[in-house]
Amino acid sequence: MTTTEHDLIVVGAGFAGMYTTIHAARRGLDILGIEAGDDVGGTWYWNRYPGARCDVESIDYSYSFDDELQREWRWRERYATQPEILEYLSHVADRFDVRRHYRFGERVAGATWDEAAHRWTVRTQNGLTASARWLVMAAGGLSQPQLPDIPGRDSFTGEVLQTSAWPHRQVDFTGKRVAVIGTGSSGVQAIPLIAATAAEVVVYQRSANYSIPAFNHPIDDDEWDRQQQNLRRRRELSWNGSAGSPWTSHPVPFDEATLAEREAVFEESWRRGGVLFAKAFQGLTVEPRINDAAREFFERKLAERVPDPHVRAALTPTDHPLGTKRICTDSSYYETFTLPHVRLVNLREDPLVAVDPTGIRTATGLREHDAIVYATGFDAMTGALTAMDIRGRDDRSLRDEWQGFPVTYLGIGLPGFPNLLVLNGPGSPSVLSNMALTSEQQGEYALRLIDHCRAEGLTSAEARADAATAWTEHSLELADRTLFGSAPSWYTGSNIEGKARGFLPYIGGFRAYIDRADQVAAEGYRGFILSTR
């Protein structure tokens, strides 16, 4: 097959890939986009499970680069569902003619750096080959599905489903005995809707997670008008905030607030819903005493939602401080366990032994099921890239390099892998922030670096090893100052057996990260080796 040549190859057609493609086209670059799915959407193309919904408010979880786009798209709910987000991204693709740059249904098998030519050659599993000076990886931080290695997993004769790779057809659970393994975000969102029609639902839980109601609602015309009138200010706050949203912590420090004031702040933050609860007080995920107060408030709320003390105890998180795993955003999740046909199996008390042809066997015996739903998440932050055979200078393998811990410069540049720019990678704010805005920042930063090299006649940009080591150590040190660093979560790779442990995102804050990255650019991309052939 003929190898096509381009200025830039973009892998992925989610928020980051689409932004990069739109703005690379505006610069006149010859772009090839490669996407494993059959259309745009990235994470939101694949995650079609019941209840799939964003935990960032719709008005914030959208592109900010085009005023007309912001005005013309009318969000229907405070927290958009997967179908609505996919509709939005499809609308953006139509409006900016994104699809013409992409080859869909092509999954990247590998990429190889040619040192003599200063170009990358990319190969797909279907045999497509293409070459480009620059390779931008926008493959997503939550895009490599993870299935647990359970004895007998493939022996089950009933229906097997995975939240991270949900079929495009309608799945009907009416009258079925359904097992759900996993109670992370996707399980928390899916379980209430599965229980609405299933004859029986058995939830197998290894670790309880904190989940807070979304308090979701349709956006009426009055609310929409208020949002539009305040949009410019809202965006300004988001771009200058710590997590890409306009919300901040209570201005009065926890230690200066009375008990009544603390209760009122926690209640207000609770009513904001979901992940916003962790912003109640500054230092909530840093200082154990503040975290303990938030945890106690949560447990009182949980007691109102789950009267049964045994079930409530099993649903109460005990292995991590509140907020150090991403807080789930739910709609009637805990209330589902009060229904007579829903059962919770606490795998810490009744360990999972094996999957049998007819069901799931734990230490206490076999439970028969008609369907098993794996809500077991992703090999986060690194899995999408290590699934590919990426070879840099001197044939060095990215998979082998990251077998220890991923060393990056700003999350974007990788030593030994020239002209490979990773968006929302380890060492960037990524999943700790509003991914719509981080995708804009990351895509624009990558293109600015390409602009600089093209203007100066440079053909290669590579992160210096010492700069990448220093950045990675800085990122890990920041995490260790908080309660995040030691908590077992996909943030640290603890959900993947054998994966190196360490806090993967940059926790220093979105605005602080932007300032650091902009300073690097202002100093002629200090920390990068810029060269010609």
Side-chain angles (χ1 to χ4, degrees), residues 195-417:
T197 58
E200 178 188 63
V201 176
V202 179
V203 178
Y204 294 84
Q205 173 192 271
R206 182 184 64 178
S207 300
N209 281 303
Y210 290 97
S211 186
I212 292 172
F215 297 103
N216 187 48
H217 59 261
I219 299 174
D220 62 25
D221 289 343
D222 288 343
E223 182 177 357
W224 180 254
D225 288 342
R226 289 194 301 272
Q227 287 184 348
Q228 292 301 298
Q229 291 167 12
N230 192 43
L231 185 56
R232 187 176 298 278
R233 176 59 177 161
R234 188 170 183 130
R235 289 298 197 186
E236 180 183 349
L237 291 170
S238 296
W239 276 103
N240 288 285
S242 63
S245 83
W247 298 102
T248 58
S249 299
H250 189 66
V252 177
F254 178 82
D255 289 337
E256 296 178 16
T258 66
L259 290 177
E261 288 170 337
R262 292 174 186 176
E263 187 75 6
V265 170
F266 282 134
E267 183 65 38
E268 180 187 6
S269 297
W270 181 270
R271 297 298 303 181
R272 289 181 184 177
V275 296
L276 295 175
F277 182 68
K279 289 182 175 293
F281 284 101
Q282 295 178 20
L284 191 150
T285 53
V286 177
E287 298 292 341
R289 70 186 187 285
I290 306 176
N291 197 277
D292 285 345
R295 174 184 54 78
E296 291 168 5
F297 181 90
F298 169 87
E299 291 178 1
R300 294 201 306 273
K301 289 290 190 180
L302 183 60
E304 297 173 4
R305 303 177 72 183
V306 184
D308 186 308
H310 179 72
V311 176
R312 184 168 70 248
L315 290 169
T316 301
T318 58
D319 67 345
H320 66 282
L322 186 148
T324 56
K325 287 184 180 180
R326 191 170 183 92
I327 293 175
C328 299
T329 302
D330 75 81
S331 297
S332 301
Y333 171 64
Y334 291 115
E335 290 79 359
T336 302
F337 292 96
T338 67
L339 301 175
H341 66 295
V342 178
R343 298 175 59 193
L344 178 67
V345 176
N346 185 347
L347 296 179
R348 294 186 184 275
E349 297 177 352
D350 186 11
L352 197 157
V353 175
V355 174
D356 282 9
T358 60
I360 294 175
R361 187 176 300 278
T362 64
T364 59
L366 174 68
R367 296 173 181 84
E368 294 189 341
H369 303 293
D370 301 309
I372 297 177
V373 175
Y374 289 96
T376 47
F378 304 89
D379 183 352
M381 302 290 292
T382 60
L385 296 183
T386 56
M388 309 173 197
D389 183 19
I390 300 174
R391 302 276 173 169
R393 181 180 293 109
D394 301 323
D395 200 40
R396 64 199 297 175
S397 162
L398 182 64
R399 188 179 296 151
D400 292 344
E401 295 275 322
W402 284 7
Q403 192 68 35
F405 187 80
V407 176
T408 75
Y409 187 43
L410 302 173
I412 291 177
L414 311 182
F417 296 84

Side-chain angles (χ1 to χ4, degrees), residues 111-116 118-120 390-398 401 414-420 459-465 529-532:
T112 304
W113 171 251
D114 184 336
E115 178 66 20
H118 278 195
R119 295 182 69 85
W120 283 94
I390 300 174
R391 302 276 173 169
R393 181 180 293 109
D394 301 323
D395 200 40
R396 64 199 297 175
S397 162
L398 182 64
E401 295 275 322
L414 311 182
F417 296 84
N419 294 14
L420 174 63
T459 57
S460 173
E462 175 187 353
R464 279 201 336 256
I529 302 167
L530 307 179
S531 62
T532 59

Side-chain angles (χ1 to χ4, degrees), residues 16 18 33 41 75 79 81 157 161 169 179 197 259 273 287 289 300 322 340 386 425 446 456 462 477 499 508:
M18 287 178 59
W75 292 103
Y79 292 104
T81 59
T157 56
L161 298 152
R169 61 178 172 81
T197 58
L259 290 177
E287 298 292 341
R289 70 186 187 285
R300 294 201 306 273
L322 186 148
T386 56
E456 298 296 323
E462 175 187 353
E477 180 186 359
K499 187 170 181 175

Side-chain angles (χ1 to χ4, degrees), residues 56-104:
V56 176
E57 290 173 281
S58 308
I59 193 69
D60 302 315
Y61 195 72
S62 56
Y63 290 121
S64 70
F65 68 85
D66 187 283
D67 286 342
E68 187 175 339
L69 173 64
Q70 293 189 99
R71 302 294 180 186
E72 71 188 12
W73 182 265
R74 170 70 157 83
W75 292 103
R76 298 190 290 271
E77 297 181 70
R78 182 188 181 204
Y79 292 104
T81 59
Q82 177 270 338
E84 186 175 11
I85 297 169
L86 194 59
E87 286 176 32
Y88 169 73
L89 291 172
S90 181
H91 170 76
V92 174
D94 290 341
R95 195 178 188 283
F96 296 101
D97 199 14
V98 171
R99 293 182 183 86
R100 69 185 175 92
H101 299 290
Y102 273 88
R103 291 288 299 268
F104 293 101

